[in-house]
């Protein structure tokens, strides 16, 4: 195992412990503050086609963001995974979201084999809101280790101009530094409750 892989793995373990100590009240508080800040951002207000991850209990709650995107008539794309491949597919309504099946990770996700509009195949995106395990203020991002977002973004950037990349995180997820590899894509902004 390379030194970078090992360092990333160690940091993921450390972050799991840190996030495990956050109360659900504190997660809710930070999620609400972050949502207000996100809604005030020009990059968010001006975006028409937005990709948003569907959160787990260990992440910033993205459900209010999803509702807001539908209420403000944006086109919404969410991740779907199969094997090592991730696509961003169009979600049409909160009702459709409610009926999505759960994955083995307990995340709602459209069925990968269902025919849905893909952001990569048609029209691209204005904004991608990304998850992660840890971040630096200058845009380094540590994902969950599967490489889904980095692979998707590297493929995306060959076809379209770079959309705004905004990561959302708890205050506790900000680190001084994160080990990075060559294919890791940096984000433009890391948004926290702070």
């Amino acid at each position: 195992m390379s030194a970078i892989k090992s360092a990333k793995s160690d940091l993921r373990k450390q972050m799991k412990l840190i996030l495990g100590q956050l109360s659900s009240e504190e997660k809710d508080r930070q999620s609400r503050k972050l949502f207000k800040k996100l809604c005030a951002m020009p990059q968010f207000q001006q975006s028409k086609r937005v990709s948003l991850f569907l959160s787990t209990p260990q992440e910033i709650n993205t459900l209010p963001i999803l509702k807001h995107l539908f209420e403000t008539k944006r086109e919404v794309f969410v991740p779907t995974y199969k094997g090592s491949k991730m696509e961003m597919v169009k979600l049409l309504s909160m009702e459709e979201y409610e009926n999505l099946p759960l994955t083995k990770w307990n995340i709602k996700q459209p069925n990968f084999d269902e025919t849905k509009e893909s952001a990569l195949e048609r029209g691209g995106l204005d904004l991608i809101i990304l998850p992660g395990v840890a971040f630096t203020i200058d845009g380094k991002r540590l994902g969950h280790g599967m490489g889904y977002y980095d692979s998707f973004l590297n493929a995306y950037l060959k076809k379209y101009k770079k959309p705004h990349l905004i990561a959302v995180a708890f205050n506790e997820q900000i680190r001084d530094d994160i080990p990075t590899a060559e294919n890791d894509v940096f984000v433009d902004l890391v948004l926290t409750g702070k």
Side-chain angles (χ1 to χ4, degrees):
M1 191 194 247
S2 76
I4 289 176
K5 265 191 169 171
S6 177
K8 284 182 172 187
S9 177
D10 290 347
L11 183 53
R12 283 189 191 96
K13 287 176 192 155
Q14 185 186 343
M15 292 310 300
K16 189 175 181 180
L17 292 173
I18 291 168
L19 293 174
Q21 292 171 354
L22 280 181
S23 68
S24 49
E25 293 77 25
E26 179 58 18
K27 288 176 187 168
D28 285 346
R29 189 188 71 76
Q30 288 192 42
S31 292
R32 283 193 308 273
K33 278 183 84 171
L34 186 144
F35 173 63
K36 282 185 182 147
K37 284 173 76 172
L38 180 67
C39 287
M41 294 178 65
Q43 302 96 311
F44 182 74
Q45 291 172 355
Q46 293 160 12
S47 60
K48 303 274 183 257
R49 291 170 62 92
V50 181
S51 160
L52 177 70
F53 69 97
L54 302 175
S55 55
T56 69
Q58 300 312 311
E59 296 171 312
I60 286 288
N61 181 3
T62 60
L63 200 53
I65 302 169
L66 184 67
K67 285 179 183 165
H68 181 77
L69 288 169
F70 284 126
E71 285 164 5
T72 53
K73 308 283 188 260
R74 318 294 177 85
E75 290 184 76
V76 180
F77 294 81
V78 297
T80 182
Y81 311 87
K82 186 174 190 177
S84 62
K85 190 169 167 44
M86 176 178 88
E87 284 196 29
M88 293 293 175
V89 295
K90 194 167 189 177
L91 199 59
L92 299 173
S93 65
M94 281 307 294
E95 187 183 352
E96 186 182 9
Y97 163 78
E98 297 295 346
N99 292 316
L100 290 177
L102 284 173
T103 67
K104 64 181 179 187
W105 299 297
N106 216 24
I107 303 170
K108 284 183 175 273
Q109 174 188 302
N111 186 329
F112 191 88
D113 299 317
E114 211 175 291
T115 307
K116 288 190 162 301
E117 183 181 328
S118 162
L120 198 54
E121 288 167 20
R122 229 186 90 207
L125 296 160
D126 304 319
L127 170 64
I128 299 178
I129 298 173
L130 298 94
V133 176
F135 307 89
T136 63
I137 53 172
D138 63 350
K140 289 181 183 176
R141 174 185 165 272
L142 177 70
H144 291 277
M146 301 297 285
Y148 288 125
Y149 271 88
D150 291 312
S151 296
F152 174 80
L153 289 169
N154 282 307
Y156 183 95
L157 295 173
K158 288 180 181 142
K159 195 167 181 177
Y160 298 105
K161 75 180 182 78
K162 185 172 175 270
H164 294 293
L165 301 178
I166 299 177
V168 293
F170 295 114
N171 303 328
E172 292 76 6
Q173 289 177 276
I174 303 301
R175 304 280 103 188
D176 291 333
D177 198 20
I178 288 174
T180 54
E182 206 177 294
N183 67 335
D184 291 342
V185 178
F186 283 41
V187 297
D188 300 316
L189 181 75
V190 181
L191 193 62
T192 68
K194 278 185 182 168

